[in-house]
Protein backbone atom coordinates (compact mmCIF):
# COMPACT_ATOMS: atom_id res chain seq x y z
CA UNK A 1 0.00 0.00 0.00
CA UNK A 2 1.08 3.57 -0.71
CA UNK A 3 0.65 5.74 2.41
CA UNK A 4 -0.66 9.22 1.63
CA UNK A 5 -0.62 12.42 3.67
CA UNK A 6 -3.49 14.76 2.73
CA UNK A 7 -2.65 18.41 3.47
CA UNK A 8 -5.26 21.17 3.19
CA UNK A 9 -6.15 24.02 5.51
CA UNK A 10 -9.86 23.44 4.87
CA UNK A 11 -11.03 20.47 6.96
CA UNK A 12 -13.88 19.69 4.56
CA UNK A 13 -11.65 19.74 1.48
CA UNK A 14 -9.11 17.52 3.25
CA UNK A 15 -11.86 15.03 4.05
CA UNK A 16 -13.11 15.00 0.45
CA UNK A 17 -9.59 14.47 -0.88
CA UNK A 18 -9.03 11.70 1.65
CA UNK A 19 -12.22 9.94 0.52
CA UNK A 20 -11.04 10.21 -3.09
CA UNK A 21 -7.71 8.61 -2.16
CA UNK A 22 -9.50 5.80 -0.37
CA UNK A 23 -11.33 4.89 -3.57
CA UNK A 24 -8.12 4.22 -5.51
CA UNK A 25 -6.77 0.66 -5.14
CA UNK A 26 -3.30 0.50 -3.65
CA UNK A 27 -3.55 3.81 -1.76
CA UNK A 28 -4.54 4.60 1.80
CA UNK A 29 -4.65 7.82 3.82
CA UNK A 30 -2.08 7.57 6.60
CA UNK A 31 -2.69 11.06 8.01
CA UNK A 32 -4.31 14.42 7.43
CA UNK A 33 -2.76 17.81 8.16
CA UNK A 34 -4.14 21.33 8.09
CA UNK A 35 -0.91 23.29 8.45
CA UNK A 36 2.69 23.06 7.31
CA UNK A 37 3.82 22.26 10.87
CA UNK A 38 1.43 19.32 11.15
CA UNK A 39 2.49 18.06 7.74
CA UNK A 40 6.19 18.26 8.55
CA UNK A 41 5.64 16.38 11.81
CA UNK A 42 3.92 13.56 9.88
CA UNK A 43 6.78 13.40 7.37
CA UNK A 44 9.37 13.33 10.17
CA UNK A 45 7.72 10.22 11.59
CA UNK A 46 8.84 8.49 8.38
CA UNK A 47 5.64 6.68 7.39
CA UNK A 48 4.55 8.80 4.39
CA UNK A 49 5.16 7.84 0.76
CA UNK A 50 3.21 10.62 -0.97
CA UNK A 51 1.88 14.05 0.00
CA UNK A 52 -1.18 15.62 -1.61
CA UNK A 53 -0.26 19.19 -0.82
CA UNK A 54 -2.22 22.43 -0.86
CA UNK A 55 -0.18 25.58 -1.46
CA UNK A 56 -2.16 27.99 0.73
CA UNK A 57 -1.55 26.95 4.34
CA UNK A 58 -1.94 29.14 7.45
CA UNK A 59 1.68 29.04 8.63
CA UNK A 60 3.72 28.48 5.44
CA UNK A 61 3.04 27.95 1.77
CA UNK A 62 3.10 24.42 0.47
CA UNK A 63 6.24 25.15 -1.55
CA UNK A 64 7.99 26.56 1.50
CA UNK A 65 7.14 23.31 3.25
CA UNK A 66 8.61 21.25 0.40
CA UNK A 67 11.78 23.37 0.45
CA UNK A 68 12.08 22.83 4.20
CA UNK A 69 11.54 19.08 3.80
CA UNK A 70 14.28 18.88 1.18
CA UNK A 71 16.67 20.83 3.42
CA UNK A 72 16.06 18.26 6.15
CA UNK A 73 16.74 15.40 3.73
CA UNK A 74 13.15 14.18 3.29
CA UNK A 75 12.61 12.91 -0.25
CA UNK A 76 8.89 12.25 0.19
CA UNK A 77 7.04 12.49 -3.12
CA UNK A 78 4.67 15.42 -3.62
CA UNK A 79 1.62 16.08 -5.79
CA UNK A 80 0.40 19.65 -5.55
CA UNK A 81 -3.39 20.09 -5.25
CA UNK A 82 -4.13 23.78 -5.06
CA UNK A 83 -6.06 26.74 -6.42
CA UNK A 84 -2.76 28.48 -7.18
CA UNK A 85 -2.67 28.49 -10.97
CA UNK A 86 -0.04 31.13 -11.63
CA UNK A 87 2.92 30.10 -13.74
CA UNK A 88 5.47 31.22 -11.13
CA UNK A 89 4.08 28.82 -8.53
CA UNK A 90 3.84 26.00 -11.07
CA UNK A 91 7.48 26.50 -12.11
CA UNK A 92 8.62 26.62 -8.50
CA UNK A 93 6.77 23.36 -7.80
CA UNK A 94 8.51 21.72 -10.75
CA UNK A 95 11.92 22.89 -9.57
CA UNK A 96 11.27 21.47 -6.11
CA UNK A 97 10.39 18.10 -7.60
CA UNK A 98 6.59 17.98 -7.47
CA UNK A 99 5.51 15.03 -9.60
CA UNK A 100 2.11 16.44 -10.60
CA UNK A 101 0.21 19.70 -10.22
CA UNK A 102 -3.58 19.53 -10.00
CA UNK A 103 -5.52 22.81 -10.03
CA UNK A 104 -8.69 23.11 -7.95
CA UNK A 105 -11.50 22.44 -8.58
CA UNK A 106 -10.84 18.98 -9.98
CA UNK A 107 -12.70 15.72 -10.45
CA UNK A 108 -12.09 12.35 -8.87
CA UNK A 109 -11.12 11.03 -12.31
CA UNK A 110 -8.41 13.70 -12.60
CA UNK A 111 -6.94 12.79 -9.22
CA UNK A 112 -7.17 9.07 -9.91
CA UNK A 113 -5.25 9.56 -13.17
CA UNK A 114 -2.39 11.20 -11.25
CA UNK A 115 -2.41 8.55 -8.55
CA UNK A 116 -2.44 5.75 -11.11
CA UNK A 117 0.54 7.25 -12.93
CA UNK A 118 2.37 7.64 -9.60
CA UNK A 119 1.74 3.97 -8.80
CA UNK A 120 3.02 3.06 -12.27
CA UNK A 121 6.15 5.12 -11.58
CA UNK A 122 6.83 3.25 -8.35
CA UNK A 123 6.35 -0.13 -10.03
CA UNK A 124 8.67 0.88 -12.86
CA UNK A 125 11.35 2.16 -10.51
CA UNK A 126 11.12 -1.04 -8.45
CA UNK A 127 11.60 -3.20 -11.54
CA UNK A 128 14.47 -1.13 -12.94
CA UNK A 129 16.06 -0.64 -9.52
CA UNK A 130 16.63 -4.34 -9.14
CA UNK A 131 19.12 -4.20 -12.00
CA UNK A 132 21.35 -1.68 -10.26
CA UNK A 133 22.15 0.38 -13.36
CA UNK A 134 19.53 1.76 -15.74
CA UNK A 135 20.18 2.07 -19.45
CA UNK A 136 18.47 4.64 -21.65
CA UNK A 137 15.50 2.36 -22.29
CA UNK A 138 14.89 1.93 -18.56
CA UNK A 139 15.35 5.67 -17.92
CA UNK A 140 12.82 6.48 -20.66
CA UNK A 141 10.40 4.01 -19.10
CA UNK A 142 10.72 5.71 -15.71
CA UNK A 143 10.06 9.16 -17.14
CA UNK A 144 7.18 7.98 -19.32
CA UNK A 145 5.45 6.39 -16.32
CA UNK A 146 4.29 9.82 -15.13
CA UNK A 147 2.54 10.72 -18.36
CA UNK A 148 -1.15 11.20 -17.68
CA UNK A 149 -2.52 11.73 -21.18
CA UNK A 150 -5.12 9.00 -21.59
CA UNK A 151 -5.06 6.71 -24.57
CA UNK A 152 -7.25 7.75 -27.52
CA UNK A 153 -10.81 6.58 -26.89
CA UNK A 154 -12.11 3.69 -28.94
CA UNK A 155 -14.69 4.83 -31.46
CA UNK A 156 -18.11 3.62 -30.46
CA UNK A 157 -17.50 2.00 -27.08
CA UNK A 158 -19.86 -0.94 -26.55
CA UNK A 159 -22.78 -0.53 -24.19
CA UNK A 160 -21.64 -0.86 -20.58
CA UNK A 161 -18.08 0.32 -21.30
CA UNK A 162 -16.77 3.62 -19.95
CA UNK A 163 -13.89 5.73 -21.24
CA UNK A 164 -12.28 6.20 -17.76
CA UNK A 165 -12.14 2.42 -17.24
CA UNK A 166 -10.85 1.92 -20.79
CA UNK A 167 -8.14 4.54 -20.18
CA UNK A 168 -7.17 2.93 -16.86
CA UNK A 169 -6.68 -0.48 -18.47
CA UNK A 170 -4.76 1.06 -21.38
CA UNK A 171 -2.38 2.82 -18.98
CA UNK A 172 -1.68 -0.41 -17.10
CA UNK A 173 -0.91 -2.29 -20.33
CA UNK A 174 1.10 0.62 -21.72
CA UNK A 175 3.41 0.71 -18.70
CA UNK A 176 3.75 -3.06 -18.35
CA UNK A 177 7.09 -4.53 -19.43
CA UNK A 178 5.57 -7.92 -20.26
CA UNK A 179 2.21 -9.31 -21.45
CA UNK A 180 -0.47 -9.37 -18.74
CA UNK A 181 -3.36 -11.74 -18.13
CA UNK A 182 -6.87 -10.62 -17.24
CA UNK A 183 -6.19 -11.67 -13.66
CA UNK A 184 -3.07 -9.46 -13.50
CA UNK A 185 -4.88 -6.51 -15.09
CA UNK A 186 -7.70 -6.90 -12.58
CA UNK A 187 -5.18 -6.88 -9.71
CA UNK A 188 -3.47 -3.74 -11.05
CA UNK A 189 -6.69 -1.79 -11.63
CA UNK A 190 -8.92 -2.97 -8.79
CA UNK A 191 -11.54 -4.21 -11.28
CA UNK A 192 -13.15 -7.62 -11.18
CA UNK A 193 -11.62 -10.27 -13.41
CA UNK A 194 -14.79 -10.53 -15.51
CA UNK A 195 -14.82 -6.76 -16.09
CA UNK A 196 -11.13 -6.78 -17.03
CA UNK A 197 -11.75 -9.65 -19.46
CA UNK A 198 -14.63 -7.78 -21.09
CA UNK A 199 -12.57 -4.64 -21.67
CA UNK A 200 -9.50 -6.57 -22.79
CA UNK A 201 -11.53 -8.48 -25.34
CA UNK A 202 -12.90 -5.23 -26.78
CA UNK A 203 -9.49 -3.55 -26.88
CA UNK A 204 -7.95 -6.58 -28.59
CA UNK A 205 -10.73 -6.60 -31.20
CA UNK A 206 -10.20 -2.87 -31.75
CA UNK A 207 -6.52 -3.49 -32.52
CA UNK A 208 -5.17 -1.69 -29.45
CA UNK A 209 -3.89 -4.87 -27.77
CA UNK A 210 -2.21 -8.00 -29.08
CA UNK A 211 -3.41 -11.34 -27.76
CA UNK A 212 -0.95 -14.15 -27.14
CA UNK A 213 -1.43 -17.56 -25.57
CA UNK A 214 0.67 -19.12 -22.83
CA UNK A 215 0.34 -22.87 -22.55
CA UNK A 216 0.76 -24.62 -19.22
CA UNK A 217 0.99 -28.26 -18.34
CA UNK A 218 -2.75 -28.75 -18.12
CA UNK A 219 -5.96 -26.94 -18.89
CA UNK A 220 -6.74 -24.19 -21.36
CA UNK A 221 -4.02 -21.73 -22.47
CA UNK A 222 -3.85 -18.43 -20.61
CA UNK A 223 -4.73 -15.35 -22.62
CA UNK A 224 -2.14 -12.58 -22.27
CA UNK A 225 -2.31 -9.05 -23.64
CA UNK A 226 0.32 -6.61 -24.89
CA UNK A 227 -0.09 -2.89 -25.64
CA UNK A 228 0.41 -2.16 -29.34
CA UNK A 229 -1.48 1.10 -30.01
CA UNK A 230 0.62 4.23 -30.61
Amino acid sequence: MIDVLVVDDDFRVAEINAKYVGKVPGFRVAARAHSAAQALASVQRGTIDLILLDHYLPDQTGLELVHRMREQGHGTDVIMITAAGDVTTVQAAMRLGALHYLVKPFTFAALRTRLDSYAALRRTVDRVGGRGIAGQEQVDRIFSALRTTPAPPSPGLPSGHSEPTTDLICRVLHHADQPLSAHEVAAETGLSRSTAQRYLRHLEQAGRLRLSLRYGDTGRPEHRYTWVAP
Side-chain angles (χ1 to χ4, degrees), residues 102-184:
L102 194 56
V103 179
K104 297 177 181 178
F106 59 90
T107 64
F108 167 65
L111 177 60
R112 176 162 188 163
T113 296
R114 274 70 180 179
L115 294 179
D116 286 339
S117 73
Y118 174 72
L121 171 67
R122 287 174 63 98
R123 290 193 298 269
T124 303
V125 170
D126 287 344
R127 286 194 292 264
V128 174
R131 301 167 188 167
I133 299 175
Q136 187 61 54
E137 180 182 352
Q138 287 76 32
V139 171
D140 290 343
R141 185 173 295 163
I142 290 172
F143 274 85
S144 68
L146 279 175
R147 293 176 185 166
T148 59
T149 303
S154 294
L157 283 174
S159 176
H161 287 63
S162 71
E163 288 193 11
T165 302
T166 300
D167 291 341
L168 174 61
I169 291 176
C170 286
R171 280 195 298 274
V172 168
L173 269 297
H174 182 238
H175 294 304
D177 56 4
Q178 61 183 2
L180 299 180
S181 67
H183 177 77
E184 290 167 329

Side-chain angles (χ1 to χ4, degrees), residues 1-4 21-30 47-50 118-119 122 126 187:
M1 296 293 287
I2 296 173
D3 287 323
V4 180
V21 171
K23 292 180 179 180
V24 182
F27 291 81
R28 65 185 173 195
V29 176
T47 60
I48 304 300
D49 299 308
L50 174 68
Y118 174 72
R122 287 174 63 98
D126 287 344

Side-chain angles (χ1 to χ4, degrees), residues 40-80:
L40 184 60
S42 292
V43 170
Q44 289 172 336
R45 284 193 286 270
T47 60
I48 304 300
D49 299 308
L50 174 68
I51 305 174
L52 301 186
L53 181 60
D54 188 18
H55 182 57
Y56 299 118
L57 300 173
D59 48 350
Q60 279 186 316
T61 67
L63 293 185
E64 288 172 341
L65 169 62
V66 177
H67 182 70
R68 191 172 171 192
M69 286 167 43
R70 301 302 184 237
E71 284 186 330
Q72 294 184 8
H74 300 295
T76 312
D77 293 322
V78 174
I79 294 178
M80 297 297 297

Side-chain angles (χ1 to χ4, degrees), residues 186-208:
E188 291 281 354
T189 60
L191 300 170
S192 69
R193 183 173 182 176
S194 61
T195 298
Q197 286 176 323
R198 182 158 47 90
Y199 277 83
L200 290 167
R201 190 178 305 114
H202 165 70
L203 291 168
E204 187 267 328
Q205 292 171 350
R208 297 168 69 181

